[in-house]
Amino acid sequence: MPKIDVNGTTIFYQDQGPKDAPVLVLSHSLFFDQQMFEHQAKHLTKNIRIVRYDHRDQGQSARTELVSVDMDTHADDAAALIEALELEPCFFAGNSMGGFIALRLAARRSDLLKGCILLGSSAELEYKLEQFSPLIAGLAAQGTEPFIDTLMYIMFGDDYLADSSRSNEREYWRNYMLKLGTDIARSAHGVIHRDGILKELENNKVPLLVLAGGAGSCV
């Protein structure tokens, strides 16, 4: 599987579909990796070039020495990846954390984009900062195992967790998150301490498709 050096780190990515087709870059949630888009990639690559990647400090991308991996750094990584693979102008879709990245690209690097799809994301500050801060401290000290039930609830919610047809997927992601080390706390810290960018988006010219489900958190 390919990796590429961009913006001072090494990013793992997958590039699938017709090379002359429209390009859609997929950016994943915290606690996941690019495999969260496996089903979408299988369906869409018939007609669309899909590039999905692991954020720095997550998945198969390189670990860094940053104390907190902030959203601005992730946005710079995404821009550098798009430029290095010569994908511009492309469409960019981000789920939750990936949406935070997408919004920063729309605000700051509109030259790279045809449009953005935002899934369960926000341009605002984290409104559950006090609730999430002790969890991040716990992850930094103990890893994910003591908090796995909490993480599963935050990431999936009651309906998904109760759906018997999703048991294999649940087991896959539960096991995946159990294997995350304490370094995932650096990424989680960057997510919950992100800056709001509503002001930056006031003059946004990039078309945005914004999708959100029921009540929940954005990580």
Side-chain angles (χ1 to χ4, degrees), residues 15-18 21 40-50:
D15 187 348
Q16 301 165 285
Q40 290 81 0
K42 285 182 179 178
H43 177 72
L44 295 173
T45 47
K46 298 172 185 177
N47 301 301
I48 300 173
R49 181 180 175 186
I50 299 293

Side-chain angles (χ1 to χ4, degrees), residues 68-87:
S68 177
V69 191
D70 61 82
M71 296 303 100
D72 292 346
T73 298
H74 283 304
D76 290 343
D77 289 347
L81 178 68
I82 291 169
E83 291 178 319
L85 297 179
E86 299 182 347
L87 306 176

Side-chain angles (χ1 to χ4, degrees), residues 20 22 31 93-94 102-103 123 202-203 206 217:
D20 59 347
F31 303 118
L103 286 169
E202 286 183 353
N203 297 314
V206 177
S217 62

Side-chain angles (χ1 to χ4, degrees), residues 73-135:
T73 298
H74 283 304
D76 290 343
D77 289 347
L81 178 68
I82 291 169
E83 291 178 319
L85 297 179
E86 299 182 347
L87 306 176
E88 68 271 31
C90 64
F91 295 95
F92 192 98
N95 187 73
S96 197
M97 175 183 174
F100 305 150
I101 296 168
L103 286 169
R104 282 158 178 77
L105 290 178
R108 301 167 187 172
R109 293 301 311 270
S110 60
D111 58 304
L112 301 179
L113 303 176
K114 288 184 177 179
C116 281
I117 304 169
L118 311 171
L119 309 168
S121 197
S122 172
E124 299 177 317
L125 295 170
E126 176 56 59
Y127 71 98
K128 292 185 177 181
L129 184 60
E130 292 185 4
Q131 177 180 334
F132 285 144
S133 291
L135 173 61

Side-chain angles (χ1 to χ4, degrees), residues 20-73:
D20 59 347
V23 180
L24 174 62
V25 179
L26 298 173
S27 183
H28 64 82
S29 299
L30 178 65
F31 303 118
F32 290 75
D33 65 4
Q34 48 78 32
Q35 281 293 111
M36 74 173 292
F37 296 114
E38 179 69 18
H39 296 302
Q40 290 81 0
K42 285 182 179 178
H43 177 72
L44 295 173
T45 47
K46 298 172 185 177
N47 301 301
I48 300 173
R49 181 180 175 186
I50 299 293
V51 176
R52 46 193 171 121
Y53 70 100
D54 291 341
H55 304 144
R56 69 163 70 200
D57 267 56
Q58 297 178 64
Q60 297 181 61
S61 289
R63 272 35 182 181
T64 68
E65 300 302 319
L66 298 173
V67 175
S68 177
V69 191
D70 61 82
M71 296 303 100
D72 292 346
T73 298

Side-chain angles (χ1 to χ4, degrees), residues 30-32 36 148-162 166 169-175 177 215-217 219:
L30 178 65
F31 303 118
F32 290 75
M36 74 173 292
I148 189 61
D149 290 333
T150 298
L151 295 179
M152 290 293 291
Y153 174 74
I154 290 172
M155 302 310 298
F156 293 110
D158 288 331
D159 290 344
Y160 182 92
L161 293 177
R166 303 286 189 171
E169 292 176 5
R170 282 198 303 271
E171 190 66 16
Y172 173 86
W173 287 113
R174 183 183 182 90
N175 289 334
M177 286 192 278
S217 62
V219 292

